Amino acid sequence: MLRTMTSAVILSLAIATGAALAQTPPAPAPTTSPTSPMDKEAISKSCSDQANAQKLRGKERKKFRRECKRAARKAPN
């Protein structure tokens, strides 16, 4: 009787463990908002136009465009 109970417990634990391991993990959440190449191109063009309007050149222009593109990617759609 004790041997049968022990076997039943071990068998049920093996089945439960196998079922738990067989489940697929959830898909990871995206870390950034997906942007298509056309969206990126439009953002870059817009930031370049803004830099041109402000007549920025050199390091100031690069810094402005970098911050502008970063802000545009983080902005809600």
Side-chain angles (χ1 to χ4, degrees):
M1 176 87 172
L2 184 59
R3 185 178 254 176
T4 306
M5 288 283 275
T6 304
S7 297
V9 169
I10 291 173
L11 181 61
S12 65
L13 287 174
I15 291 172
T17 302
L21 293 176
Q23 294 178 357
T24 58
T31 56
T32 59
S33 62
T35 53
S36 71
M38 294 192 74
D39 290 340
K40 289 181 181 180
E41 187 176 326
I43 290 170
S44 181
K45 174 91 170 93
S46 172
C47 291
S48 289
D49 291 343
Q50 291 176 36
N52 289 342
Q54 295 179 18
K55 297 183 178 167
L56 297 175
R57 299 286 179 242
K59 289 182 180 179
E60 293 84 17
R61 179 183 176 88
K62 283 185 178 183
K63 181 179 178 185
F64 174 81
R65 289 190 72 239
R66 181 177 57 241
E67 291 172 356
C68 176
K69 290 191 291 186
R70 185 176 294 146
R73 282 192 307 263
K74 289 183 179 180
N77 294 333

